[in-house]
Amino acid sequence: MESSQRSNVIGIDLGTTNSCVAVYTRGKIKIIPNEQGSPVTPSYASFTENEQLVGILAKNATDLHPKSTIFDIKRLIGRRWSDLTVQQDIEKWPFVLRNIKNYPHIEVEVNGEKKLFLPEQISAMVVSKMKKIAEDYLKKTVCSAVITVPAYFNDAQRQATVDAGRIAGLSVLKIINEPTSAACAYAYKNREYIKKGTNILVFDMGGGTLDVTILKIEQDYVTVKSTNGDTHLGGEDLDCRLVDYCLDTFRRKHNHDLKDDTVAIRRLRTECEKVKKDLSHALYSKVNVYHIYKDIDFSLEISRARFEQINGSIIKKTLAPVERALNDANLSKSQINKVILVGGCTRIPMLKSLLKDYFGASKINDTINVDTTVAYGAAVEAAHLSGKTMHVGGCFLRDVTPLSLGTDSEIPPTMSVIIPRNTLIPAEKTVTFSTIKDDQTSITIQIRQGESSYAHENYLVGKFELTGFFKSPKGVPWIDVTFAIDENGILTASAVDKTSGTSNSIKIDKCTGRLKKEKIDQLIKEGQIIQKEMEMQTKAKKAAIALEDEIFAIKRKLDTRQFEDESKSKVLKRCDELLLWVEDNKTAAESVYREKKREIRDYAKNKSRSSSKSQDRDKKKR
């Protein structure tokens, strides 16, 4: 790694609902606030008539531009169009999705023309926002990052996240699991208090995903024992349940179905998200949407008890991954020393009570910041990778494979697991196979990832062929297939025919991404064009605001200085005309606004001089 890269490595928590960025600087980990002063930034991108927005401004645009405001992109990244979860989610998203070669693309209108974006591109816009927040704070260019992902993300989702980072102009040094990152933050903050052999369970439930990871902390090492979860269970699902309840209530009261009204549903969703947050500390809240349909206002009081009744089944589902993680780690719940709560959903009282009843209230640690801890841990790992280990202190990660890795068995068409899920890495395992036909001289090794016993239901990571071995009856050749994963998560799959010595292999690097370099280069260029357009639009907007400021300043001076009535009237008229012009010309170039500003300033000055000269003449006459 070059010195410039080593000194500017940031940690990014790339969330479904919100994202956060942190960095090790001046001897400590710093959570970097955005321009609004908030430590978290909404993972939203919006395309309006004359600008592209990312973050809080994009989220604020959702009511007016529901079809061109993109959110929940983490639920799409790395997935295929045919995935069941994608098909289920299409129904609730207001933006348009298109199927291009079995990959979902988002269709939006940009500057009057329809454009298609890969989920990686939208995610890259959020990453770019995090990068800029960090650069504005550090006052230097950021080159590299550690990015977090849900522990239960498969290889495709991880690689797509890497591609998003690359499109944003970052070298992604490592992809780290979110709960592992949270445990790393906890270990770093509590180094003097952690006993040798502490078992920690991290319960991480954010906007879109649930991860449960069990780790053992021993002095300088954080070792992952097991991980489980659901990449489609989070706060967004609770919001959707609440929205459905509101739609049913409206239908019952007003005999009208709003399900196809994207604007109404978007406004409802915003209110339901607010109510969910309110009910974490209040006993009741209200959904208020004015003129939701024609002149009808919708108002509905939701108590905490009602919210829990609506979403109780989802909240109770969260214990299943906990139990699976405990089984995989060969631990009982009594052997867990501490339960760390991460993610916004862990503020929900019913969920917190459920975990307290299961583990015991004394084990629940809810004192850490659930919104920023993951980014904090990513920054700790980023500091290690940038060579600051001695300054940051020991906290070395030993991770596991989140999903099983194996290959196809043709008869029956099942998955033969070679490396089971939750295997500590680095790991290596060899399994012997043979041919299924007489005189067979080649075999295709298909590498699968997943937990289904049916091979086709698991994700195809890669494949390669072994050819050229001797003709012989089926079942005679001995073919050793070896899977080896190093400490960086790079998988090398190889096969060798023991009789002929013929061999072949494939290497799959989780930090190389799934898109080809040519495609990445193309997307980077497209991103740079969009970024340049955004910068031009931002400069034009600032110039328009500066023009308005100048106009109002001139109008204020008219009241404080002595002007002839005629001159004052003319300046006021010109100012009002220019204000109307600004209202009608939202897409003018920066140079036009600047020229208008210069013109009105000169006009006001000239009228002021003329008025002063006229007043001096009058004084002399008197």
Side-chain angles (χ1 to χ4, degrees):
M1 199 190 308
E2 294 178 7
S3 59
S4 60
Q5 288 181 304
R6 290 173 68 92
S7 61
N8 301 323
V9 185
I10 58 176
I12 298 175
D13 172 15
L14 188 60
T16 307
T17 308
N18 294 299
S19 294
C20 182
V21 61
V23 68
Y24 179 81
T25 180
R26 297 169 189 166
K28 62 181 180 179
I29 302 295
K30 170 69 176 177
I31 301 293
I32 307 174
N34 58 26
E35 61 268 35
Q36 285 84 28
S38 173
V40 296
T41 300
S43 302
Y44 280 65
S46 184
F47 301 84
T48 66
E49 293 90 350
N50 54 13
E51 61 184 330
Q52 181 196 323
L53 306 169
V54 180
I56 187 64
L57 295 179
K59 187 174 183 179
N60 291 342
T62 52
D63 289 354
L64 289 175
H65 306 279
K67 289 189 175 181
S68 58
T69 300
I70 318 302
F71 57 95
D72 280 4
I73 201 64
K74 198 169 172 179
R75 289 192 160 187
L76 267 179
I77 197 165
R79 293 192 178 275
R80 294 190 174 96
W81 178 269
S82 54
D83 287 357
L84 179 61
T85 53
V86 172
Q87 293 306 307
Q88 290 171 340
D89 283 339
I90 286 174
E91 298 298 319
K92 64 185 182 186
W93 283 324
F95 46 86
V96 178
L97 289 173
R98 300 294 183 203
N99 180 10
I100 310 294
K101 296 180 180 178
N102 202 27
Y103 287 108
H105 287 61
I106 301 98
E107 183 183 88
V108 292
E109 195 168 291
V110 181
N111 295 329
E113 64 174 295
K114 289 182 178 179
K115 281 194 172 185
L116 291 172
F117 290 95
L118 281 163
E120 290 92 326
Q121 288 175 277
I122 302 296
S123 194
M125 294 173 190
V126 179
V127 175
S128 292
K129 180 71 174 178
M130 297 297 101
K131 180 175 182 282
K132 185 168 191 313
I133 289 170
E135 289 178 336
D136 289 346
Y137 173 78
L138 294 168
K139 301 291 190 290
K140 59 178 73 170
T141 302
V142 170
C143 305
S144 308
V146 171
I147 301 180
T148 65
V149 294
Y152 230 52
F153 254 22
N154 66 24
D155 196 72
Q157 292 166 305
R158 290 167 188 269
Q159 289 184 15
T161 303
V162 171
D163 286 335
R166 293 164 68 199
I167 294 167
L170 285 171
S171 170
V172 181
L173 302 184
K174 191 169 186 177
I175 291 290
I176 183 174
N177 293 337
E178 289 164 7
T180 307
S181 183
C184 189
Y186 177 81
Y188 176 69
K189 290 180 179 180
N190 298 277
R191 282 169 291 179
E192 1 12 301
Y193 307 110
I194 292 175
K195 297 177 182 177
K196 185 176 181 180
T198 303
N199 289 322
I200 291 177
L201 183 142
V202 180
F203 186 96
D204 182 1
M205 188 173 178
T209 60
L210 167 64
D211 282 316
V212 179
T213 297
I214 297 174
L215 310 99
K216 191 169 188 175
I217 299 179
E218 296 179 283
Q219 295 177 338
D220 293 343
Y221 286 94
V222 177
T223 303
V224 180
K225 303 294 289 182
S226 69
T227 189
N228 211 290
D230 190 330
T231 57
H232 233 71
L233 181 61
E236 299 285 349
D237 301 287
L238 305 178
D239 297 343
C240 287
R241 280 276 184 95
L242 209 50
V243 168
D244 289 341
Y245 179 79
C246 292
L247 291 174
D248 289 341
T249 303
F250 187 88
R251 190 186 305 112
R252 190 172 63 253
K253 285 185 176 180
H254 302 285
N255 196 30
H256 180 75
D257 197 340
L258 294 171
K259 69 176 184 179
D260 294 325
D261 189 334
T262 55
V263 175
I265 289 178
R266 183 59 248 181
R267 294 173 69 198
L268 261 180
R269 191 184 182 99
T270 301
E271 281 294 295
C272 287
E273 183 185 356
K274 180 184 75 67
V275 165
K276 175 189 68 180
K277 292 177 179 178
D278 288 346
L279 293 175
S280 291
H281 53 80
L283 293 176
Y284 69 91
S285 185
K286 267 192 173 183
V287 174
N288 288 310
V289 183
Y290 299 105
H291 295 108
I292 191 170
Y293 174 67
K294 295 184 177 178
D295 59 346
I296 300 173
D297 296 332
F298 180 72
S299 182
L300 181 64
E301 185 172 287
I302 305 287
S303 66
R304 184 184 290 178
R306 173 67 67 185
F307 175 83
E308 290 173 354
Q309 186 268 329
I310 293 168
N311 282 302
S313 59
I314 292 178
I315 292 172
K316 288 174 184 175
K317 274 174 64 178
T318 61
L319 276 184
V322 171
E323 291 170 345
R324 290 196 295 267
L326 286 168
N327 287 333
D328 289 344
N330 292 317
L331 293 172
S332 66
K333 59 184 179 182
S334 63
Q335 291 175 287
I336 298 297
N337 304 109
K338 191 65 68 177
V339 178
I340 300 173
L341 303 185
V342 181
C345 281
T346 57
R347 292 190 177 97
I348 296 171
M350 181 182 179
L351 179 57
K352 199 177 289 187
S353 295
L354 189 72
L355 293 170
K356 284 181 178 179
D357 290 342
Y358 188 81
F359 288 102
S362 63
K363 292 183 179 181
I364 305 299
N365 183 307
D366 55 3
T367 59
I368 62 174
N369 190 314
V370 299
D371 296 319
T372 61
T373 295
V374 171
Y376 192 105
V380 172
E381 182 63 10
H384 285 315
L385 293 175
S386 61
K388 298 185 176 72
T389 305
M390 295 303 294
H391 301 287
V392 180
C395 184
F396 301 102
L397 301 179
R398 299 169 68 188
D399 219 331
V400 297
T401 55
L403 297 166
S404 299
L405 287 160
T407 186
D408 294 11
S409 292
E410 295 191 25
I411 301 176
T414 57
M415 164 124 149
S416 292
V417 174
I418 295 178
I419 297 182
R421 74 171 186 269
N422 293 319
T423 297
L424 191 66
I425 59 174
E428 182 175 322
K429 192 171 180 184
T430 300
V431 176
T432 301
F433 292 91
S434 190
T435 54
I436 59 170
K437 296 177 183 176
D438 291 336
D439 299 329
Q440 193 173 334
T441 59
S442 67
I443 187 171
T444 300
I445 310 295
Q446 298 202 112
I447 306 161
R448 300 274 182 181
Q449 185 181 41
E451 305 309 320
S452 175
S453 57
Y454 296 103
H456 70 278
E457 292 182 357
N458 294 319
Y459 173 68
L460 179 63
V461 176
K463 61 182 179 179
F464 65 98
E465 274 196 298
L466 184 65
T467 60
F469 46 87
F470 303 135
K471 289 184 179 181
S472 55
K474 64 181 180 181
V476 171
W478 281 20
I479 301 162
D480 283 352
V481 176
T482 301
F483 282 11
I485 306 176
D486 69 13
E487 63 275 7
N488 296 315
I490 298 173
L491 169 67
T492 300
S494 60
V496 58
D497 172 26
K498 300 295 284 185
T499 307
S500 65
T502 303
S503 64
N504 198 1
S505 65
I506 185 174
K507 180 181 281 189
I508 297 161
D509 186 346
K510 289 179 182 175
C511 283
T512 57
R514 64 175 183 164
L515 298 176
K516 292 181 179 178
K517 185 180 182 302
E518 295 77 16
K519 182 66 174 176
I520 291 287
D521 290 342
Q522 177 195 332
L523 295 179
I524 289 173
K525 285 180 182 177
E526 290 177 9
Q528 287 171 343
I529 292 170
I530 293 172
Q531 186 67 29
K532 192 172 182 180
E533 289 173 352
M534 282 177 63
E535 289 172 359
M536 289 173 63
Q537 290 161 359
T538 300
K539 287 178 180 178
K541 196 166 189 175
K542 286 180 178 178
I545 293 169
L547 171 58
E548 286 187 340
D549 288 345
E550 183 71 24
I551 294 169
F552 289 123
I554 289 169
K555 293 182 82 170
R556 285 193 298 272
K557 288 176 184 177
L558 291 174
D559 295 330
T560 58
R561 293 182 182 177
Q562 289 186 340
F563 270 80
E564 288 184 327
D565 289 343
E566 185 181 352
S567 295
K568 184 175 181 178
S569 177
K570 286 181 179 180
V571 174
L572 278 172
K573 183 181 178 184
R574 181 68 68 89
C575 285
D576 290 338
E577 287 173 350
L578 199 49
L579 284 173
L580 287 173
W581 179 88
V582 173
E583 281 295 314
D584 294 336
N585 292 270
K586 295 290 186 183
T587 58
E590 177 192 9
S591 59
V592 176
Y593 290 122
R594 288 185 179 279
E595 180 62 23
K596 294 285 184 184
K597 179 181 174 181
R598 187 188 61 78
E599 287 176 3
I600 190 66
R601 182 189 291 162
D602 292 347
Y603 183 80
K605 281 182 179 179
N606 290 334
K607 289 297 177 184
S608 176
R609 289 195 198 101
S610 299
S611 184
S612 296
K613 288 178 180 178
S614 178
Q615 289 170 1
D616 289 343
R617 284 195 298 270
D618 289 343
K619 285 179 182 177
K620 287 178 181 178
K621 287 178 182 178
R622 288 196 294 268

